[in-house]
Amino acid sequence: MAGDEVLAEHEIQRELESMSGWELRDGKLHRSFVFADFGEAFAFMTRVALSAERMNHHPDWSNSWNRVEIDIVSHSAGGVTTRCIELARQISEFAPTP
């Protein structure tokens, strides 16, 4: 599938320069999100889930009350791909502005 080629670390770092809040952690794109309460966090997760399903590219994530932790990696490709970057950018669009 297009966008499933694993990116080199320098390519990932270049992309991260324009992606506020995201970092490369343990070979995955990682970001933490904090919301006012559980309802806002859950609404955010719902928007992300719908977008991820459309892309057929699903994040690893966890939620505890107002916090959502997200890791993105292509398990089938074995690393971060262009589709991972695209999903992270879409997720950022759903995030609250500081």
Side-chain angles (χ1 to χ4, degrees), residues 3-92:
D4 281 343
E5 300 78 30
V6 174
L7 300 173
E9 186 169 343
H10 73 275
E11 293 172 306
I12 298 167
Q13 292 298 343
R14 184 177 61 231
E15 293 289 344
L16 288 173
E17 290 174 9
S18 64
M19 297 170 59
S20 180
W22 289 94
E23 65 178 317
L24 186 62
R25 183 187 290 180
D26 299 325
K28 303 173 184 176
L29 299 179
H30 176 83
R31 185 168 173 190
S32 298
F33 297 89
V34 178
F35 300 89
D37 55 30
F38 178 76
E40 283 189 19
F42 192 84
F44 167 77
M45 291 179 74
T46 300
R47 289 188 295 272
V48 171
L50 293 171
S51 184
E53 188 65 16
R54 279 190 299 275
M55 289 183 69
N56 193 30
H57 194 51
H58 306 92
D60 296 326
W61 59 4
S62 65
N63 165 244
S64 179
W65 188 59
N66 72 333
R67 180 175 293 276
V68 177
E69 301 282 333
I70 298 181
D71 290 308
I72 304 173
V73 66
S74 174
H75 298 287
S76 60
V80 174
T81 65
T82 302
R83 285 184 23 173
C84 296
I85 299 291
E86 291 172 13
L87 180 57
R89 289 187 189 283
Q90 285 186 17
I91 289 170
S92 292

